[in-house]
Each structure stands twice: as structure tokens, then as C-alpha cells.
Amino acid sequence: MGGKTDVWQGTLALMVLRTLETIGPQHGYGLARRIEQTSGDRIQLNYGTLYPALLKLEQEGYVRSRWGASDNNRKAKFYELTKAGQRYVRKATAEWEETTAILARFLAPAGE
Amino acid sequence: MPKLRAFWLRILGALRMNHKAADFDAELESHIAMAVSAGERNGLSAEEAHRQALIQLGGMEQARQAYRDRVTLPMLENILRDIRFALRQMLHNPGFTAVVILTLAIGIGACATTFTWVNAVLLQPLSGVADPSRLAVVETVTAGGAFVPNSYPDFQDFRDHLKLFDGIAVTRPAAFSVGREEHTERVWGELVSGNFFAVLGVRPELGRLFLPAEYGDAPGKYPIVVVSDRYWRTHLGADPGVVGKTLRINQHELTVVGVAAPAFHGSLPAIAFDMWIPYMQQPVLNGVPTWLLRDRHNRNMLGIGRIRQGVTLAQARQELKALADRMAIANADVSKGMSATLLRFDQSPHGPQGLLAGPLRILMGVSLLVLLIVCVNVANLLMARATSREKEFSARLALGAGHARLMRQVLTESLLLSLCGAVLGIAATPVLSRALKLLMPPGPMSLLVGGNSHPSVTVLGFTAGICVLAALAAGVFPALQVSRMSLSARLNDAGRSGMAGRRRNRLRSVLVAAEVALALVTLVGAGLFARGFEQTIGIDPGFDPNHVLLSQLYLSTNGYTLEQRKEFCRRLEERMESEPGVLGFAYSDGVPLGFEPSWWEDLRIEGYAPQPDENMNIFRNVISPGYLPLMHIPIVEGRNFTEADNEVPDVGSMIVNQAFVRRFFAGSDPIGKKVHGWGSWFRIVGVAKDSKYHYLTEPATPYFYVPFRQVYRADMNLAIYVRTQGDPESILSTLRTQARAIDPNVTIYDPAPLKEFIGASLYPQKVAASTMAVMGGIAILLAAVGLYAVMAFWVAQRTQEIGIRMALGAQPRDVLHMVVRKGLAVTAAGMALGMICAFALARIIASVSYTDSAMGASANLLGDRATDPIIYAAAAVFLCCIALLACWIPARRAAAVDPMIALRAD
């Protein structure tokens, strides 16, 4: 699996929420595929960890789920962002950007 | 917030309150299906696509497990599983479970009940008041160092000059008769200073309490009353419009201004008062002359102070003492050498806690002792069961359960058992609490004790703590046993019970020995208390209480003046003495050996020079001429009071007792000597034989009598005595008829044979002896059960060994001896330990005393019998017999073992 990275601790939740924000309600499999595609297939997702992560977000009230039909008319459970989830994505995104910006300053070549 | 929400949802998940797990199976299925069809679209075979989907998922079961862990709280899940398992185990063995739960219920119930009393009487003396920790009792201290109540003028000085107090209030318990002439009812209440409620911080339930405008010191003013919530509900129909209405109290109309908060019962612990009336009404209601309210000598008010925030008790006490010392100098004529001090509420010598504190502490100790025995017993039973469940535990160990997991399981079981016991015990508490009331002696106060007896939050908290402690105490040994269990040893043992049980048996033997020791301690305690009680009962009180009917009159509440009261007594005496069957009639202020404190007077004795700080406050009684003959108290010298003592002469008459003569007139003739008290002179006309006045166990105490007609004052009590030929109660109807014939409004209160009434002084000993006897019985029963269980189990385990012994020629008798010897060895070890503990405890308990009087008179609970060897020996022998019996049954079974069957077993 050379070239592919595991998901960093704690970033999966943000990836999930951000993806849901972009593409709207989605089922678990679609969400997983979409995350891999977004990363340009550079991360390797263990699908088994996705569902507990989704459950955690649901318990925290950031997403909600309901049963629906998939594109090819299969029964599937769809996840969508709640109001609280939207707020959380905005906040977490800002924080993450701040963090990376700071880190970038440290990692930039010396002298700049 | 989101975290909390998630936590809550997971708890619900653990309790199976949602159906996430089942839902997830469907979701997984749909996931796999989508992954497989995606794989197939990419050209994989159906089989390969399915394989790839599973790889990506990381395994079906793993995914499920990860999801499940998130649905619930794994820790909580485990605990719930333990509980479910424990419940199944309990239902599986209903007999065992019932025995353990009942045993625990006895122990926990006894503790909870005792604690209810301790809480009500000692820990939370006052309910319904604000910040009780800042309240303290204000006591006047006599020159001799005794605590006495305060006078109203002293209170005024305290109130006006103390800076470290938010306020000081005084109160005097009193009986009122409420209602119209023919239908009066006696109600207990308090005559209080106007600021009483403000100082205590009581809130009204309805209307208002006393206002600052009513705090004044103008005798006869403020005809108002505050009633208790209880009285409002039971007597006034919980009428919301009661404020502003009037109540007829002691034949005077008083306006109800408010109802006190439901939790407030007055200023004495464990007593529920129903009315509070300004003390300034005392002259109106009880016909007390107003000068008495200004008399510093009239010390009959209980004082309560609220210490200012941030001031310590010691600082406040210091300020109070300094002021009181100055007052003693300024008012040297009445207060020479007097001082004042501040006491914590639980140290107050007034009210029932003086009597109850000692017995209650002992009772609490005994309850804890019984609980300890219960715990040891339950531990024993649990260990026996853990042994018989060895196969189950081995199986679980073999399947990978850790020792910690098994220990937790065992502890969960014991916790569950003790919880059931606690619930049962708590349920019994209200019933048991009433027992305290039953034990109370007859008399006016008996009606008031135990205002409420349903368990409070404090009691529930205490019980919960006890419950957990009991679970730990009972569960720790079985848990240790399980933790030591070795899988290999057990498997190698191949199901035969052999040496593996050795250490375990030793542990159980230690437990039984401890049980025997504890039982011996209780037994010795019971014996000592019973012996002390028996001894006390055997003491001659110095008067004859048989065939005497005692009752109380509250003539002042009928609006009688002092003269009318004296006249009423004289006429009642005339009428009663002409009745057939009446051998004597008398009346007095105080009743000997009663429940209430005795009064005293500061005396000056002609020809006797007291030491500078000698206590010249001598106990006294105010009696009618018939009193001493009726009581069969002989006059050893001089004469009794006569009708001639009935007018008010320049010099009054006085009869003193022998102890009085010994102390003040050593060697000289007391007759004709003059004694000064109540502001005038008395001449000693006679000497009465010593008798008992406060406790049967008291040493001879100086005491004197003065004639009713000369000294009787408006604020004194009036007890009447009728001596009869037969049953004293039979004369009651005659007494009622005669009293009504003089005045139809007069009611005879609290009639009781004097014999029963004086039981009051025995109350603490009676409580101690009877509860110890009950607890001792329980302890012996538990110890016997424990010993039996251990011996029976020991025999069962050794059936094969015994079989072999018998096959090799041992006789049944040898086997019998072996088992009994083993049992007695355990008993002997326990007994040796118990003797040491019992001896040490007895010495501690011997120092516990009780009192019903602030005057320093107190008696010991045990008497001087703490080391009576007969009791120790008797307890040991008795316990030995019980132990022998407990061993005998299993031993008989062992001796009856058929070697052939025993060897074939297993």
C-alpha cells in the first residue's frame, strides 16, 4: 500500500463533516469512497472505523441519520449535517487553518 | 455539551434503551452490498469482490465490536452484565439469598434505626431553623459550677450588651389549655422572648411570626400566638384564613398571627411543641405576678444565642462570661459568684438528650457491633458458596476471565445482596423508630417525643454508606478467595476436594472465631447492663411508690389565681380524704425520681459559714402536710408540717433530710435552726429520713421540704397523689368526679401509678439493658449459624477423609470427637479474643453516665459492676454450649458416614 497514508488521529471526524457539508446527505459507503477520492486516493480508510466515528458524531448531535434509497435503489442509511454540525465544521475548519498556518511558518525554509 | 449528550446516549445504549446495534447489522449489510457491486463493476468476480469488501472493512465482527463499544459504555456494560448475572445467581438459590438478605436487613435496619434516633436527638437537635451551626445554648453557671437556666432580667442584659451575637432569645416550655371552658385540651408550647423566631431563623408557613414591635418587655402585652404546622393541620383544619382568628388559651383570647414552617418543632430536641406565645403573656395566662418577670432570682428560661458570622464559639463564650461576671458583681445580692457560658446544642443539659445521649451512643455502638457480626456471617456464607461454585469460577478462568474480573463479580454480588438488605432495613426503620416512643416512661413529656420518624436524607445517606461498607466487609474475603484460586491446582485436583481448601478453611475459621468474639462481647454487655438494671431496681427509693396514683393539675391554665389554686387543693383534699378506699392525699411541686429536673434554692444557714465557692443550691420540694406520711417517709426528729404552718408567718417552717443535717449541722441539733431562702427566714421543724430524689443510684443528697401554703408560687407545678388500698388506677374516676364537683372545668392530666412514673429515672438503664439483650440474642444466633455452617462445610469436605479413617478402624466416637474438637478450638480462640475486647469495652462503657438535670446530678449506666467475673463466666459458658450444639449436628453427620459410600463418592 505504498504511498497511501492512514488517517491521522482526530482528523477523520472533520473529513466526514466537511464532506457531508460539500455533497449533502450521503450513506457510509459513499462517504468513505468520497473521502478517498477527495484525498486523491492518498489516504487509506479502514471502513470499519468510519461507522463508530459516524455514531460518535451522531451522539454528539453533529449529524443525523435516516434510512433511504441509494442511487441504484438499494436500502441505505444516509447521514446529513445538523445545524450544530454546520457550526462545528466552520469552527473546526477555522481552527485547523489557524493551526496549519502557524505550523507552516515553522516549517517554511529559514530566512523568509 | 455535545460530549455530555454523547455520554448520556451511551448510558441509554448500555441500558438497551435504543436499538443501535440491531440497526447496524442492516447498515453493514447494505455497505457490503454496495462495495461488492462496486467491485463487480470494476471487473472482479463476485467472490473476489466480497473478499475485497471485507478486507477494506477490516472484518465484520471487528467492525461490529468497534461499533458496539461506541453505542454503549463498555465499563457500564460490564457492570450491568455483572448485575444481571448476580441476580440470576441470587434467584437460583432463593434460600441462601433470603438468609443473607434477611441477615443483612437485621444489621442494617438496626443501624439505620439507631442512627435515626441519634440524628434526631444528638446530631440535628433543631430542625426548621436557619444555619443551626451558629446557634448555641446560653447557660447560667452557679457558684458551684452547675449549669442552670437564665432569669429574664439576665436575658435582657445579655440581649442588650453582647456584641458577638446576632441575637439571644429565651424560652420556657409550658402547658396551655386551649378551648372553651368545658372542652379544653392541653397543648404543649413555649413562652418565648419576642425575638425567639428571629434568633432561630424560623420562617412562617402562613401569616407572620413575631415582629420587632413585639420584642418588648412590657408584662401583659402582645396577646398573640404562633401555632405549629402540625397543630394547624390537626386542630385548625389547615384553614388558610386562620391568621387573625383567635384561640382561647388559658381562658384568654389570643390572636393567631401565623403558622411556623412545617420542619420547626420548637427549641428542645426530639420534642414537638405546638404553640409559641410571647413570655410577656405569662402574667395574663398563668397568673404569675409581674414582679417575678423582673426577678433575677427566677432562673427558669432556657437561653439560645446566635453567634455572629465568623465569630468562634470560644470568642462568644468569652464575651458572655465577661459580661456575666460583671453582672454578678453588679447584682451581688442575687447573683454573687454566678457566671454564664455557651454550650453546643448537643451538650445542652435540657430536654431529653441529657437522658438519651448516653444510651443512644451505646446503642449506636451495639448496632455497629451487630452489623459487624452480620458482615462476618455473610462473608462466611459467601465464602462457603464461592467454594461450592469453584467449578463455575474455574470454568470462567479457563475461558480467559481475569482474577480481577472474578473479584468484581463477587463484590457485585455482595453489593447487590447488601442493597436488598438495606432496602428491607430502611423499610422497617419507621416501625422500629416508634419503639423509642414505646420505651418512654409515662408522664407529660412522653407525648412529645419523636415528632417525625420517616427517614431523612441524612439517614438515607448514612444507610447507603453502611450498605456499601457492609458489602465490602462481607465481599472482601470471598473476593480474595476467588483471586487466590489457582486454575492448575483446581484442574489437577480433578474434582476431588482435598488440600486446596486448606487455606480457605483457615480464613473461614478466623471469621467464625471473630464472630464468636463479637458475640461474646455483646453477651457480656447484655449481662452487665441487665445486672446493673436489676441492681438498680433492687435499691430502696426511701419512699413507698406502691398503691399511689399520681396526676397533674394545670390550674393556672384555668385562669386561677394563686389563692384560688391553694383553695382548690384544700377543698379537693377534704373531699378525697372522706372517700372510701383513699388512705392519703397530698400535693407537691416536684415528683421524686421523675423525668423532669428538680428545683433548688440558694440557702443561707444560720450558724454555718460556707466556703467561698461552696454550692449552697440545695434541692427542695414544696409539699402539702400530707406528703411525707403518704409517701411513707418517716420523720426521724421533730414534727411534720401541720395545718398551723398554713398561714404566712414571719418565719416559715422547713423539714430537712438527714444528709442535710450531716452536712450543715454536724453533731448539733438542727431543730429550731433558721435557714434563709426565697428572701425570707424558715425555721427547721423536723428531720425526714433520706430518700432518693433523682436517681435510685444517687448517694444521699441534702434535700429539704417547705410547706405548700407558705412557698407555693404561680410558676410552680402541681402534682397530686392519692394513696389507695388496692389498684391505684381504680381511684381515678373518683378523683375526676371530685375535681369536677369543685369546678367542672378542671381536668386531671397524666394519671399514672407512681410506681410506673418513677420508672423514668430507670429509663436509660432500661433502654440499654433491653436493647442489649435483643442485640445479644441476635449476635448469638448469628454466631451459632456461622459456626454451624463452617463445621457442616468442613465435614462435607472431609467426607472421604472420614470414610478412609473409618475404613482404617476409627470409631464413630473418634470422628465425633475430632469434629467437635475442631469446632471448639475455633470457639475457644474466638472466646479468648472476645474476653479481651469485652473487658476493654466494659471499662469504657462504665464511664458513660446520664443526666436529666442541669445541676450536675448524674448516674452511671453500669453501676460499679463492669468487672463482675460471674457475668463473664456465664457468658462464656453459655456461648460454649451454643457452640457445642452448633458443632454437634455436623459431627453426628460425620460419625454416621458410611465408609463405603464415602469412598465411592465423586
Side-chain angles (χ1 to χ4, degrees), chain A residues 1 27-30 32-33 36 44-63 65 67 70 72 74-79, chain B residues 1-3 5-7 9-10 20 23-24 26-28 30-31 33-39 41 53 55-59 62-63 66-68 70-72:
Chain A
M1 306 265 169
H27 48 70
Y29 179 74
R33 292 290 305 138
E36 285 176 346
Q44 169 78 45
L45 203 57
N46 177 351
Y47 291 8
T49 62
L50 177 68
Y51 289 100
L54 277 167
L55 179 60
K56 179 169 184 281
L57 289 172
E58 192 175 358
Q59 285 169 342
E60 288 168 350
Y62 297 140
V63 304
S65 67
W67 285 93
S70 71
N72 36 13
R74 213 173 239 118
K75 200 167 104 99
K77 200 175 192 182
F78 281 78
Y79 294 86
Chain B
M1 240 354 234
K3 291 264 179 282
R5 187 191 132 102
F7 182 70
L9 284 170
R10 290 175 82 178
K20 283 286 179 199
D23 206 39
F24 185 60
E27 193 173 6
L28 259 188
S30 116
H31 175 100
M34 283 191 269
V36 169
S37 59
R41 275 202 300 281
I55 289 173
Q56 250 186 331
L57 192 65
Q62 286 84 338
Y67 192 83
R68 225 174 5 241
R70 183 64 217 181
V71 170
T72 73

Side-chain angles (χ1 to χ4, degrees), chain B residues 332-633:
Chain B
D333 52 332
V334 287
S335 302
K336 188 158 179 279
M338 305 284 272
S339 183
T341 190
L342 210 53
L343 300 173
R344 283 207 324 267
F345 244 91
D346 58 319
Q347 296 171 328
S348 162
H350 306 291
Q353 86 270 38
L355 264 182
L356 293 176
L360 276 182
R361 288 205 180 99
I362 288 172
L363 198 55
M364 192 76 242
V366 173
S367 309
L368 289 172
L369 200 67
V370 165
L371 184 67
L372 202 62
I373 298 175
V374 162
C375 287
V376 173
N377 212 29
V378 169
N380 225 325
L381 288 170
L382 285 178
M383 280 181 76
R385 225 163 78 79
T387 312
S388 62
R389 276 168 67 190
E390 256 181 9
K391 282 190 180 125
E392 173 208 324
F393 287 127
S394 314
R396 298 182 66 188
L397 278 174
L399 287 173
H403 278 114
R405 189 77 183 71
L406 287 189
M407 280 174 79
R408 207 170 67 194
Q409 172 69 47
V410 171
L411 283 177
T412 305
E413 282 183 35
S414 71
L415 189 61
L416 216 57
L417 286 168
S418 81
L419 196 68
C420 292
V423 168
L424 219 63
I426 279 279
T429 303
V431 184
L432 293 175
S433 292
R434 250 169 254 143
L436 185 68
K437 222 172 185 172
L438 291 179
L439 287 169
M440 288 302 269
M445 291 301 206
S446 60
L447 292 171
L448 305 169
V449 170
N452 53 345
S453 55
H454 31 108
S456 65
V457 179
T458 329
V459 172
L460 286 178
F462 173 83
T463 313
I466 284 279
C467 169
V468 171
L469 278 182
L472 284 179
V476 71
F477 288 110
L480 279 177
Q481 179 191 348
V482 167
S483 78
R484 286 215 198 109
M485 197 179 274
S486 148
L487 187 54
S488 60
R490 180 65 206 163
L491 289 178
N492 291 342
D493 200 29
R496 280 190 185 257
S497 323
M499 299 308 284
R502 200 151 196 169
R503 182 161 46 174
R504 194 156 54 240
N505 258 325
R506 200 157 54 222
L507 190 52
R508 293 194 59 197
S509 298
V510 168
L511 284 180
V512 171
E515 235 178 301
V516 169
L518 291 170
L520 186 73
V521 170
T522 352
L523 207 55
V524 167
L528 289 176
F529 281 120
R531 187 107 168 78
F533 184 53
E534 185 196 47
Q535 264 188 328
T536 311
I537 284 185
I539 294 174
D540 176 16
F543 59 90
D544 177 13
N546 298 304
H547 306 298
V548 173
L549 181 77
L550 170 73
S551 49
Q552 303 281 334
L553 283 178
Y554 298 92
L555 292 176
S556 62
T557 67
N558 288 68
Y560 275 50
T561 65
L562 198 55
E563 283 315 311
Q564 285 170 323
R565 284 155 77 176
K566 289 181 177 175
E567 181 58 17
F568 180 91
C569 291
R570 198 187 56 75
R571 287 175 61 189
L572 186 61
E573 181 171 15
E574 259 173 31
R575 281 168 169 269
M576 284 306 289
E577 283 187 332
S578 61
E579 282 286 333
V582 173
L583 300 179
F585 182 89
Y587 38 95
S588 74
D589 170 32
V591 182
L593 300 183
F595 205 40
E596 281 160 274
S598 168
W599 296 102
W600 42 268
E601 184 63 26
D602 185 20
L603 295 185
R604 210 156 73 230
I605 296 162
E606 197 182 49
Y608 181 81
Q611 301 298 313
D613 52 356
E614 185 172 348
N615 183 7
M616 292 300 286
N617 295 314
I618 308 300
F619 290 111
R620 56 91 179 137
N621 203 353
V622 180
I623 59 172
S624 74
Y627 178 85
L628 293 174
L630 180 137
M631 293 295 240
H632 295 173
I633 299 175

